Amino acid sequence: MNENHFLRIEREGPGGSRHYVVHAVDPRFTLEMTPDAQAPDQVGRGVLKRLRLPNSWAGDYTKCSKLIGAAQDFFAQSFAEPAPKTETRRFSR
């Protein structure tokens, strides 16, 4: 699974922050997650709150489980140390 297919969005609101992991290529889907407070690093792989995916994928649990697992791994890695500036600016001029 290519990690470039995922994007984490954090939104601040009156009830605290909300975290979304978006899969940007087919099938496009969104996971709403919260950090796992019981994990040693207080983030873990996250706790799944909501999943939105296309109806055509709703019954194919094998494909869904692989992508959800990859999204949870991406969520955990996204809280790690930030990438160096040279890597984040590789497409800028």
Side-chain angles (χ1 to χ4, degrees):
M1 183 60 52
N2 190 347
E3 291 180 5
N4 293 333
H5 294 170
F6 293 103
L7 172 70
R8 182 174 68 89
I9 300 170
E10 183 176 353
R11 302 186 88 180
E12 293 293 330
S17 63
R18 299 175 91 172
H19 302 272
Y20 300 93
V21 175
V22 178
H23 188 248
V25 296
D26 286 334
R28 290 179 170 88
F29 68 88
T30 305
L31 292 170
E32 182 179 347
M33 304 182 80
T34 59
D36 186 4
Q38 302 299 320
D41 63 353
Q42 300 295 313
V43 175
R45 293 183 70 209
V47 176
L48 181 64
K49 288 181 67 176
R50 184 178 305 153
L51 169 64
R52 292 183 180 203
L53 64 130
N55 284 338
S56 61
W57 277 65
D60 199 343
Y61 301 113
T62 304
K63 289 182 185 178
C64 288
S65 66
K66 289 178 185 177
L67 288 172
I68 291 170
Q72 285 183 303
D73 292 338
F74 173 79
F75 180 77
Q77 291 173 0
S78 69
F79 282 94
E81 188 173 319
K85 290 280 187 187
T86 56
E87 187 174 327
T88 59
R89 293 184 183 182
R90 66 181 174 202
F91 297 116
S92 65
R93 295 181 187 231

